[in-house]
Structure formats: structure tokens, C-alpha cells
Amino acid sequence: MLKLIRRFAITVLVLYLALFGLTKAIRYPEPIAAIKLGLAPASKTPNLMPFHYIVAAPTTYAPWKNGNSETVQNVKYDGKRITFDDFLKQTSTNAFIIIRDGKITYESYLNGKTQSTILPSYSVAKTMTSLLIGQLISEGKLKESDSFVSILPEFKAGTSFDKVTIKDLLDMNSGVGVSDNYPSGPSGWGVAIAQMYASTDVNWWLQQNRKMREEPGTFPEYRSVNTQMLGMVIQKVTGRSLSDEFTERVWQRVGADYDATWNVDHKGGHEKAFCCFNATARDYARIGVALISDQSAKNKYAITNPAWLTRLSTPAVKLDYGWGYGAQMWHPYPGINLMLGLHGQYIYQDKANKTVIVKLSDLPTSADGLAPKIASVLKQIAEKNY
């Protein structure tokens, strides 16, 4: 029996060492950490990768005010009238906030979450990245016509990759061949998008993934690699991390109440710009409110400028669900801006109705196609058509 136990222990050790060597070679976290990351629900991921802090300064802005409390009794979801509570449960909601005219009129937390719980945004982070790009363009430090490799020449490939511009990246039109075919479990973690998500060395990862599928500007398709490349541009142009830039340029200007985090490949490395921005529901709401508010030069707390806000609000291409998309912002309906993330993260902005809705969720990867049905409910609520 002791021999069997010893042999089993040796086999496990050898297997672990082999996996450890493999994960190190492909710049993955060590095996146990990688498995935890692959199996964790969305809301548990912020602390499973290293991160940089985005520091809050709540005294720089007026505190939240409560508006007239509203009750949502029923909504139409997936062709049926159901109670709002059922909608929240069926869509694995962790936090839901309605802000009208800058005031909170509804706020709910489920599954043990609270006002101070840091929750992931997934691809909502793409719009956060775009806000920084917009500021750099307005300051003349960057142009949409700039090519990626003119800023980061170490990535020159001698192919049409070298022609990819900032504009191509912003509008998901680069042709870089890394699809968002998210795996459903550890068995799928060899695909490129999973490698980028888990990578401990983003520079190395991009060097291995410069293969082009189409010519730049010829075929729009939602690919997260575009945003990661934008994040690397920001870091090179500013000489600082995205987290430090976001702290000063956005987070402290909106008066966020809590520190946020941005997951990185390794401490002091690159933020995972396409995902992995983590904050409280109320602080996400502050971004949404800012983007339907005055962003002119007279507003010292502005996080963008009128020209970039127009860019964010104007569809440039059509992507999934037939929705418009431009500069890392979705447009599911005319006049609506939507920040959307995998697993059910939404910041819905309806300027005409002075309404922002935040919904943060724990939906499985397989539920990604629910976005139009959920967006329809957010539209009903924004328009008080429920």
C-alpha cells in the first residue's frame, strides 16, 4: 500500500511539474492558478490575477443623491411578462442600479454583494480604454491614422499587420486574426483569446499572434485583441500604466467612491485592456452618468471632450446582433450607448431620457447570446415602458 501511495504521489508530482513547465513556456499562470481562473464565476475573478490599483478620490465630487424611489413590477423578457425579481434571478444579477437625472432611483444587490463589492466588467473595460485614447488624441499625442507599429516598432511583422491603424483597432476592423471564441472550460484554454486573458506576458503573446485574417479596414468583427493593442499604445505614449493614467484622467475626476483594480499580466506589466477592469456598481454608474452629461471644456471634471463623445456615440460598423459599434462603444438602438461585457455586464446610457442603468451579472459564457433580450429590458426601464 505504501508503495502504491508513493508511486501515486510521484506520478502526481511529475505531472504537476510537466504542467508547470508547459504553463511557464506559454506564459500562463502556474497550473492550479490557471484552473481556478478557468472555473471561477465571473464575480470571483478580480483577485485571481495580479492587478494594479486605480485610486479613488471621492472628495473631489458631489456624493450621490437619491431621487424618487421607483419600483419595477414586471418586464417583458424573452417574449414573456415576468416579475422584475424573476428577471434579476434568471439573468444571474449581482447588482442593478437605475440613475435618472443624476440621482439613484433604484438599487439592488443580490447573492451577497453590496455597495462596496468590487465586480468585474469584462469588455466594459474596452470603453474605459477608449476614454484614454480619446484624451490622448485631443491632446495631439496620438492620431487615429497612426499605425500600431509606428508607435511600437518592435512588433513589425513585414505583413499587413504593419498597416493596422488606431482607427482600425477602435472600430474592430483591424483584420488581426484572434477570434473571441471563448472556451467553456479548461479544455479550451489553448485558444488564443484564452491565452491573452490568462497571459503573464502580453508582449510575448502578441509576438506570437500577429497573423492577419483580413486586410486592415476591410472586415469588421468583434475581436478583443484590438483593445489590447490600444492599451499597449496608451502605455507606450504616456510612459505610464493604464491604471495610473485612468486614476488621474477619469477615476478621480468622476469622484469614484472606491478604489478600482485593473488586472495585469504581471505586476508592473501590461493591463489587460480588453477586459479585467474591476469596480463597484455605483462607480461604474459614475462613468455612465458622465457620458450623458456636459463634457465641454468648462466642466473641470470632464472625462472626455465633445468631439470624442460624438465619436463614441456614432456607429462606425455593424457587429453582433446587427448592433452598431464605434470607438469601443455599442449602439443597440438609435441614440443609445452601451458598454457591454461578457457574463452580463451592462452600462446602458440613454441621454434623451437622462437615464443610466448598471447591471452586473454572473451569467455563464454560454449565455453570451442573451444580450439583445437583456438590452430590451433595459430599454423598457429607461423609457419607463414596463
Side-chain angles (χ1 to χ4, degrees):
M1 181 62 71
L2 287 175
K3 286 183 178 180
L4 287 174
I5 293 173
R6 189 179 299 114
R7 286 177 183 172
F8 177 76
I10 291 172
T11 300
V12 170
L13 178 60
V14 169
L15 179 61
Y16 180 82
L17 290 174
L19 287 171
F20 185 86
L22 175 63
T23 55
K24 191 172 181 63
I26 62 173
R27 276 63 165 187
Y28 251 37
E30 56 88 11
I32 293 175
I35 290 170
K36 284 182 178 178
L37 184 60
L39 296 178
S43 60
K44 300 295 184 183
T45 59
N47 294 322
L48 294 179
M49 289 185 282
F51 57 81
H52 292 158
Y53 278 105
I54 299 162
V55 182
T59 57
T60 63
Y61 202 82
W64 281 110
K65 296 179 180 179
N66 291 321
N68 294 327
S69 178
E70 66 179 290
T71 301
V72 182
Q73 296 284 2
N74 300 287
V75 293
K76 186 176 181 180
Y77 175 64
D78 197 15
K80 301 175 184 176
R81 295 291 298 179
I82 62 172
T83 68
F84 184 56
D85 286 344
D86 281 345
F87 166 76
L88 295 178
K89 292 174 185 175
Q90 287 183 29
T91 57
S92 303
T93 308
N94 288 320
F96 198 99
I97 305 178
I98 304 171
I99 300 98
R100 300 198 191 273
D101 202 15
K103 299 175 182 177
I104 296 174
T105 61
Y106 178 91
E107 185 173 26
S108 179
Y109 297 92
L110 295 87
N111 307 313
K113 309 302 187 289
T114 68
Q115 283 184 15
S116 61
T117 302
I118 302 295
L119 292 167
S121 68
Y122 286 85
S123 288
V124 166
K126 291 179 168 67
T127 313
M128 307 300 190
T129 301
S130 180
L131 290 173
L132 297 180
I133 290 286
Q135 289 194 27
L136 293 177
I137 289 174
S138 72
E139 293 165 8
K141 296 176 181 176
L142 192 64
K143 299 189 298 291
E144 287 201 51
S145 60
D146 288 339
S147 68
F148 175 76
V149 298
S150 70
I151 299 161
L152 290 153
E154 62 268 32
F155 289 100
K156 285 184 178 179
T159 68
S160 57
F161 180 88
D162 299 348
K163 300 177 183 177
V164 173
T165 65
I166 301 303
K167 182 180 187 303
D168 294 329
L169 297 173
L170 283 164
D171 296 332
M172 296 293 177
N173 211 1
S174 71
V176 179
V178 181
S179 296
D180 276 31
N181 51 336
Y182 291 99
S184 57
S187 63
W189 277 62
V191 301
I193 183 66
Q195 290 177 3
M196 182 169 66
Y197 176 63
S199 180
T200 61
D201 187 345
V202 165
N203 275 331
W204 180 88
W205 178 88
L206 186 57
Q207 288 285 358
Q208 316 308 311
N209 287 277
R210 291 173 292 167
K211 189 174 181 179
M212 299 294 287
R213 185 170 298 165
E214 303 91 17
E215 287 294 304
T218 64
F219 182 76
E221 184 175 76
Y222 189 85
R223 297 174 190 170
S224 292
V225 62
N226 295 306
T227 319
Q228 187 56 43
M229 292 167 67
L230 289 172
M232 296 167 76
V233 165
I234 294 166
Q235 194 164 351
K236 181 63 179 287
V237 169
T238 64
R240 302 204 306 167
S241 72
L242 268 68
S243 297
D244 286 345
E245 289 295 312
F246 203 85
T247 291
E248 292 186 12
R249 292 176 175 273
V250 179
W251 212 234
Q252 294 189 355
R253 291 188 190 182
V254 298
D257 295 307
Y258 296 92
D259 291 348
T261 63
W262 208 327
N263 294 115
V264 294
D265 53 0
H266 59 271
K267 288 285 188 179
H270 291 289
E271 280 81 358
K272 294 179 178 178
F274 67 100
C275 70
C276 310
F277 183 101
N278 314 295
T280 66
R282 282 189 170 198
D283 285 340
Y284 285 123
R286 287 191 183 277
I287 301 294
V289 169
L291 292 178
I292 65 168
S293 305
D294 172 39
Q295 292 294 298
S296 65
K298 67 182 181 181
N299 177 9
K300 66 178 180 179
Y301 297 119
I303 61 172
T304 185
N305 58 76
W308 198 251
L309 189 55
T310 297
R311 179 75 165 91
L312 284 169
S313 305
T314 305
V317 296
K318 279 193 175 182
L319 297 178
D320 306 45
Y321 320 121
W323 288 357
Y325 191 89
Q328 310 284 295
M329 183 79 83
W330 288 98
H331 305 286
Y333 311 108
I336 301 300
N337 289 352
L338 175 66
M339 300 159 73
L340 172 66
L342 187 69
H343 302 297
Q345 326 312 327
Y346 297 78
I347 304 179
Y348 186 97
Q349 304 141 70
D350 182 344
K351 186 173 183 178
N353 287 298
K354 299 181 180 179
T355 298
V356 170
I357 301 171
V358 173
K359 182 187 190 303
L360 306 173
S361 319
D362 256 328
L363 285 167
T365 303
S366 59
D368 193 32
L370 290 179
K373 297 174 183 177
I374 293 174
S376 173
V377 173
L378 304 186
K379 185 175 188 289
Q380 294 168 47
I381 293 171
E383 298 173 358
K384 292 188 176 181
N385 184 26
Y386 49 75

